[in-house]
């Protein structure tokens, strides 16, 4: 039996994770600045492998990581999409990794536990999600664990299908668990209660 979750705390106009805001929705390149296709993104290859594995296990549309750079540098954005090239923005440069390219890395030693679920029924205007009990919390906890694996103050965003093609569900989390998670249905963003998706302590 499905449970309807109403999202009521709309996030502020400024996304709490600005670099994710740049990655969502997708950037559009001009005709004359097509990204270079590469076979490796160096140290970020490990992030690509982790996001790919999570995306496949979750059946997600998209998995994005925002990774802190060196002092004074903008963060890198790694954007993995289902059956699409991986887009990496680092140091003001955007490159593409072909979808099927094999990177010279072992599978990640740890990947958050996540299960695939049927698309949630949503009403984006009402801010409502109809899903099996605990399903949204399960996915949110997995995204939070993914952010923690990225470490530092890095950010993970995962996007999954819903009943509305124009309103996929996106979940954003920052490593360290000090920031509330943000859910988005299409363009509408909702900040969750602090501590969610953990159950409240027994009283």
């Amino acid at each position: 039996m499905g449970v309807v979750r109403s999202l009521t705390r709309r996030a502020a106009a400024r996304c709490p994770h600005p670099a994710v805001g740049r990655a969502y929705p997708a950037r559009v390149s001009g005709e004359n600045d097509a990204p270079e296709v590469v076979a490796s993104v160096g140290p970020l290859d490990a992030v690509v492998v982790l996001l790919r594995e999570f995306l496949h296990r979750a059946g997600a549309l998209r998995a994005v990581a925002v990774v802190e750079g060196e002092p004074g540098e903008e963060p890198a954005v790694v954007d993995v999409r289902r059956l699409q090239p991986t887009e990496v923005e680092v140091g003001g440069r955007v490159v593409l990794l072909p979808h099927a390219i094999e990177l010279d890395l072992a599978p990640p030693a740890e990947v958050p536990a996540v299960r695939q679920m049927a698309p949630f029924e949503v009403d984006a205007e009402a801010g409502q999600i109809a899903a099996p009990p605990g399903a949204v919390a399960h996915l949110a906890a997995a995204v939070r664990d993914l952010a923690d694996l990225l470490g530092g103050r890095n950010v993970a965003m995962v996007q999954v299908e819903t009943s509305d093609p124009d309103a996929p569900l996106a979940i954003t989390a920052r490593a360290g668990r000090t920031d509330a998670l943000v859910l988005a249905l299409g363009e509408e963003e909702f900040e969750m209660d602090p501590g969610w998706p953990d159950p409240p302590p027994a009283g």
Side-chain angles (χ1 to χ4, degrees), residues 11-52:
R14 179 181 180 276
C15 178
H17 313 307
V20 170
R22 292 203 305 274
Y24 175 77
R27 294 179 296 277
V28 178
S29 298
E31 291 183 2
N32 297 322
D33 59 353
E36 178 186 359
V37 177
V38 298
S40 170
V41 284
L44 292 173
D45 281 353
V47 176
V48 174
V49 170
L50 175 61
L51 293 182
R52 280 179 174 176

Side-chain angles (χ1 to χ4, degrees), residues 60-159:
L61 293 171
R62 190 176 180 198
V64 178
V66 181
V67 182
E68 292 175 317
E70 296 297 323
E73 294 182 357
E74 288 290 313
V77 180
V78 180
D79 191 345
V80 175
R81 301 167 188 248
R82 184 191 295 174
L83 301 178
Q84 297 292 325
T86 293
E87 184 172 293
V88 179
E89 181 181 358
V90 58
R93 176 177 174 232
V94 177
V95 298
L96 295 179
L97 279 169
H99 166 71
I101 196 167
E102 293 289 338
L103 298 173
D104 190 21
L105 285 175
E110 187 176 357
V111 180
V114 62
R115 62 181 184 272
Q116 293 190 27
M117 289 169 278
F120 300 142
E121 294 284 333
V122 301
D123 183 332
E125 289 189 8
Q128 292 185 334
I129 305 172
V136 178
H138 166 79
L139 183 59
V143 176
R144 185 180 61 183
D145 291 345
L146 179 64
D148 285 343
L149 285 177
L150 295 172
R153 293 286 291 159
N154 298 327
V155 174
M157 187 277 284
V158 173
Q159 195 177 70

